[in-house]
Every structure is written in structure tokens, then in C-alpha cells.
Amino acid sequence: MSRRSKSVESLAVTAARLADALEQDVRDFLVVRNHTLGDIEVQIERQSRELLRVAAEKAAQKKAEVTPPVCPVCHQPLSRLTGDHRRSFECRFGTITIGRSRGYCKRCRKWGFPADAVLGLEETAGYSPRVQEMAALLASKMPVSEASAVLEHLTGVTLPRATLDREARRQGERARQVRRQEDEQARNASAKSVQPEMVLEPYQMMIQMDAWNIRERDDWGKTKAMRQGGREPERWHWVYTGTCFRLDHRGKTGGGRPVISERGFVATREGIDALREQLHAEALRRGLGQAAGALVIGDGAVWIWRLADDRFKDARQRLDYYHAVQHLAAVGRALFGEDQARLKEWLRPLAQQLKNQSAIKVVHQLEDILAELPTGAPAEVVQREVHYFHEHQDRMDYRAGRRRGEPIGSGAIESTCRQAQCRFKRPGQYWSQRGDESLLCLETFWRNGRWHLLFPHNRQLDPSKT
Ligand SMILES: [Zn+2]
């Protein structure tokens, strides 16, 4: 039976034929000795696909037929209408073909297919919204070379590697547009809601930032010329990341710690200014405007504190405790060289003091050490570190932070970076700036629980999102 004639038969007939086939599969399963449940799962999946495909095709066709002949862009009635223009595309259950009408919009001076817009089919790509989503999700989670094979193995959807790559990047570009709109909305909403009598919620907003680098090849096609010129074509570029979350002291975990909620995540290849705007918008979405206070935690990198002064100027600032200890250890190495035992013996009480007492006490001890040292290399190191501690003196209120149950380190963003790096720093992977910004953007929509904004058919998975 041809595909066309199958699609006109009723679903009930196709379903009845499937039921017979499945009954037969069950009988066969009983007599084959070495087949597990896995075998019957694969068999049922394969058999059912045609029924699902026919149902999707029928739904798409009927929807096309009831779509009013108006311009998808300006909603004016179309003229010069002709019907039954056929189009085939991949959907979740295989290839489907529908006929739909085409008309001319005098206002837009363009031909259009109103049904395509209603069904969520892009003008050029031959994929259904669900398949577009699968390409986007897989490409943001694994190398495209694997994604294509994994997709086909798990779902039966065939998307060649190059096509999947192109589709994912297109979705990533779209995600970037949606992000721009969302960020603008967040800023506008917060500008409107500023009221002097606004009641503040009893939570603090935690904000952490970090950067890691990614390997990119940004001179495609010039490799040979560059090598001859003695330069390697690969480069490392910075990815800027930030995370924010609420720390709520009303609720307590079993361990007596404040409850973390509304965790958001941003990552960008487009520099510090882009991170600043994206992280600010994310913090606003997570409730920065209603927070009783905010705290920025980071390592010693100058850009972090500049960004904090610039965009989170009311927030308190805290230097990551573990970075501070590393700087104490640098002093220890200058004093004791490779003598690990003496270094540890010297470092431990100071690190404890820094955590549980006051930073000023620790700084004073370093100053005393410096005063005793003769001029030379060790003194230069200690001088530099004393300067570092002076610079960050007001960011080392670890005792107060611990009493309030706040983090004293930037572990949250560091673990976030590690996870992203696993994906983006595999050996042999090269990215272009535009390409990885798109994939990073998809990744942030997924992690932030806003995937449905890109692929609204997922609203059904979570009723709270409708
Ligand atoms: Zn129009």
C-alpha cells in the first residue's frame, strides 16, 4: 500500500492493523528463548511508528485545511490563492507530506503559505518543531558527530550530521534573539516596579562570576599560511559565566543552612559587557529587585569587581575564601621554599584565623613578616601579597558571612564552569565565536528552566507554564 493511500484511510483502520501486528509480536516473543524485554520494546516501537506518523500527518493536513487564507506576517487576506501545494518534512515519527494553499500578500508583496506558519514550519528547513527541538537539545549537549547517530538510534529520526549542525545553529541564533527580548523585558519590568514603599523579601541574592577559556579556530582556511608564518591557528578565548540564586533564611535545610532557590545561570563568549547585561537581567528575573540585599562573590580578577561596582553597586562584595588562602600559601612558599611541613604548619592557623576571626589580624601579621624580611625575592613576593590583601580587605568578612549562613567561596560558579567545560572543551573540538555563543545560549535556556520559551510545545510537560 502506498504512503498516500495509507494517509487517507482512517486512523481506526491503521490502529486495528497495528493491534494485530502487536498481538503477533507478543506471540512471537513468548516462543523466542533468548529475547528480553528490550527486544519487544524495540519491536513495538518499530511497529507503532507508522500509526503515529499517519496521525501526525492527518493532524497537520486537517490543520492546513482550516487555516484561514491570511498573510502570516500582517494578517491581511491573501489574493491569487491556489491550493494543494505539496510539502514533505521530517517529523518525530518519520516523513510526512501535506498539501496547503498559497497566496499573495499585496501589503507585504510576498507569497506565503499560511498553514506553514500555523504549524511552526520554517520557510526553508524541512523539519517539524519537535525535530527542530531535538537537534537543538542534542547539539548543545554533545558533539554533533555523535548527536546525529544518537538521535537516530534512540528516536528513529534521521538527521544527517551537517543538517543537524545547521538546524541546531539556526535554533541557537533564534535563542539569542529570544534572550535579547527576555533580557529587555526583565530590565523594563524592574524599571517600572521601583516604588519607595516596596516591601522587601527576607532573602539575599547571591551572585557569582568566573571565566574559563575555550579553544577556537578563528582563521578557517588560513591554517597552512599561518603555519608557514610560524603561527598556530588555534586560539583560546574567554567564556564569561555567572550564576545567581536566592538565599532564604526563613526556611532551613536539615543541616540548618538557609534554603537556596531560583538558581539562574548565564554564559557568554561575547565579553564582559555582555556578561554584565545578561547576568543583571537574570538576577532581576530571579528577584534581585525584591531582595533584602545582594552579595557578589568572585576570585581576585579585576573585571569581576569592576562589573559589580558598575551593575550591582548596592551589593556587598566577597573575595572567594579559597583564593585568599592560595595567596597566603604564596607567602608561605616565599618564606619556607619547598619545606611543605613548615609551610603547612605556618599556613593552617592563619587560614583558620582568616575564616573565623578577622582579616585585619591576618594582614597585620603579614605586614610584620614583611618588616622583618631583608630585601630580595621573598620580600618582593610578600610585598605583592600584602598589597593584594589590602586591596581586598573589605571583601574578606568571612566570619560574618559564615554566621549568616552565606557562602564564603565561589564554589557554585566554579562547579558550573566545570560542567560547561566538559561539554565545550573536549579534545579536538574547535568552535567559532558565533557558533559557540549559539550553543551556550541554548544551554542556558535549558538549565534555567526556560526551554519552553524556545519550544512552546513543551508547555504541555509542565502545566504551570501554560
Ligand atoms: Zn502581509
Side-chain angles (χ1 to χ4, degrees):
M1 196 181 282
S2 80
R3 190 162 263 183
R4 179 78 184 133
S5 58
K6 259 186 194 171
S7 70
V8 294
E9 81 182 14
S10 82
L11 278 178
V13 174
T14 317
R17 208 176 36 242
L18 172 63
D20 285 344
L22 291 177
E23 293 282 9
Q24 186 58 50
D25 290 339
V26 173
R27 286 192 291 274
D28 292 348
F29 181 56
L30 297 181
V31 295
V32 183
R33 288 180 66 194
N34 58 352
H35 277 193
T36 68
L37 185 58
D39 293 277
I40 195 72
E41 283 175 292
V42 168
Q43 182 65 9
I44 290 171
E45 197 179 329
R46 194 183 299 148
Q47 296 271 28
S48 319
R49 208 158 188 262
E50 179 59 11
L51 175 66
L52 305 179
R53 191 195 69 76
V54 170
E57 186 170 68
K58 186 169 188 168
Q61 181 61 58
K62 297 243 174 213
K63 191 81 167 183
E65 284 161 15
V66 300
T67 300
V70 297
C71 171
V73 181
C74 71
H75 307 290
Q76 293 295 303
L78 295 174
S79 60
R80 291 147 80 185
L81 276 176
T82 49
D84 209 32
H85 294 271
R86 309 198 74 71
R87 180 178 182 184
S88 295
F89 53 93
E90 278 298 303
C91 86
R92 170 69 184 78
F93 315 111
T95 309
I96 67 181
T97 303
I98 58 166
R100 72 271 199 258
S101 57
R102 187 180 81 143
Y104 186 74
C105 176
K106 286 178 188 152
R107 181 183 284 184
C108 301
R109 300 181 180 198
K110 255 187 94 178
W111 291 93
F113 297 92
D116 285 7
V118 167
L119 292 170
L121 300 174
E122 313 271 348
E123 253 175 58
T124 47
Y127 303 99
S128 72
R130 182 68 167 152
V131 174
Q132 292 167 24
E133 180 200 356
M134 289 174 156
L137 182 55
L138 282 171
S140 68
K141 296 286 174 201
M142 61 177 71
V144 169
S145 54
E146 288 172 39
S148 177
V150 168
L151 178 65
E152 184 162 358
H153 182 76
L154 290 181
T155 69
V157 173
T158 314
L159 270 190
R161 194 200 277 202
T163 319
L164 190 146
D165 189 36
R166 196 168 55 238
E167 189 56 32
R169 277 161 203 271
R170 218 163 53 80
Q171 296 304 325
E173 285 298 310
R174 198 167 65 81
R176 294 176 66 183
Q177 273 178 29
V178 176
R179 178 171 68 189
R180 273 192 288 276
Q181 290 160 6
E182 289 282 307
D183 287 0
E184 205 177 305
Q185 250 173 40
R187 281 189 286 269
N188 291 341
S190 85
K192 272 185 212 138
S193 71
V194 174
Q195 297 152 9
E197 72 276 26
M198 190 171 63
V199 180
L200 295 177
E201 300 284 339
Y203 60 79
Q204 296 276 328
M205 183 64 69
M206 303 290 121
I207 297 163
Q208 300 186 5
M209 290 170 253
D210 203 358
W212 46 277
N213 48 34
I214 197 169
R215 186 164 53 166
E216 276 176 6
R217 185 177 272 180
D218 47 12
D219 291 287
W220 283 107
K222 297 182 200 153
T223 306
K224 207 172 160 190
M226 288 185 71
R227 288 232 166 94
Q228 281 166 355
R231 286 193 298 151
E232 272 302 301
E234 78 178 51
R235 311 249 172 97
W236 292 91
H237 291 284
W238 290 103
V239 176
Y240 292 95
T241 56
T243 187
C244 56
F245 52 88
R246 292 182 190 187
L247 205 61
D248 194 332
H249 291 267
R250 284 170 308 180
K252 287 262 160 81
T253 64
R257 299 162 75 156
V259 171
I260 287 174
S261 67
E262 289 291 328
R263 173 92 185 259
F265 165 73
V266 300
T268 183
R269 267 286 289 110
E270 297 187 323
I272 294 166
D273 292 352
L275 175 76
R276 184 186 62 218
E277 297 315 310
Q278 289 173 26
L279 184 55
H280 184 235
E282 185 62 30
L284 287 172
R285 277 191 290 266
R286 303 293 178 176
L288 176 66
Q290 291 75 46
L295 171 67
V296 174
I297 307 176
D299 62 25
V302 175
W303 66 267
I304 291 180
W305 308 113
R306 277 203 195 128
L307 192 159
D309 288 337
D310 190 8
R311 195 49 100 234
F312 302 102
K313 56 179 185 297
D314 298 327
R316 292 174 291 129
Q317 299 184 353
R318 182 169 297 150
L319 177 72
D320 170 61
Y321 170 74
Y322 304 94
H323 276 84
V325 171
Q326 276 171 20
H327 283 265
L328 280 181
V331 173
R333 275 193 303 277
L335 298 176
F336 307 111
E338 293 307 303
D339 190 341
Q340 291 293 324
R342 286 188 67 198
L343 170 63
K344 271 188 186 161
E345 193 187 330
W346 175 83
L347 183 59
R348 194 177 299 123
L350 275 180
Q352 286 297 325
Q353 220 169 42
L354 185 65
K355 191 195 267 184
N356 302 323
Q357 298 176 32
S358 93
I360 295 165
K361 270 191 189 169
V362 173
V363 176
H364 284 163
Q365 289 173 71
L366 297 183
E367 284 167 345
D368 291 346
I369 290 168
L370 181 62
E372 301 283 310
L373 278 178
T375 27
E380 276 170 32
V381 173
V382 179
Q383 173 72 67
R384 197 171 60 226
E385 298 304 339
V386 165
H387 179 76
Y388 177 90
F389 281 99
H390 280 155
E391 174 92 21
H392 293 294
Q393 197 160 309
D394 297 334
R395 300 184 178 120
M396 296 191 288
D397 58 341
Y398 303 119
R399 183 174 59 167
R402 277 161 53 89
R403 282 189 177 162
R404 280 197 289 263
E406 291 168 357
I408 59 166
S410 46
I413 189 62
E414 283 162 22
S415 71
T416 301
C417 281
R418 267 196 300 281
Q419 291 165 30
Q421 288 183 63
C422 285
R423 164 66 188 92
F424 286 94
K425 276 170 86 166
R426 293 193 183 195
Q429 272 190 298
Y430 293 91
W431 303 87
S432 66
Q433 175 173 342
R434 216 179 158 74
D436 45 60
E437 186 68 8
S438 295
L439 293 175
L440 282 169
C441 187
L442 287 171
E443 170 76 6
T444 55
F445 271 89
W446 178 261
R447 290 182 77 148
N448 288 325
R450 287 198 290 273
W451 191 248
H452 62 282
L453 295 178
L454 300 177
F455 302 101
H457 49 263
N458 290 299
R459 277 181 309 232
Q460 290 173 348
L461 301 177
D462 181 352
S464 70
K465 286 170 184 162
T466 48

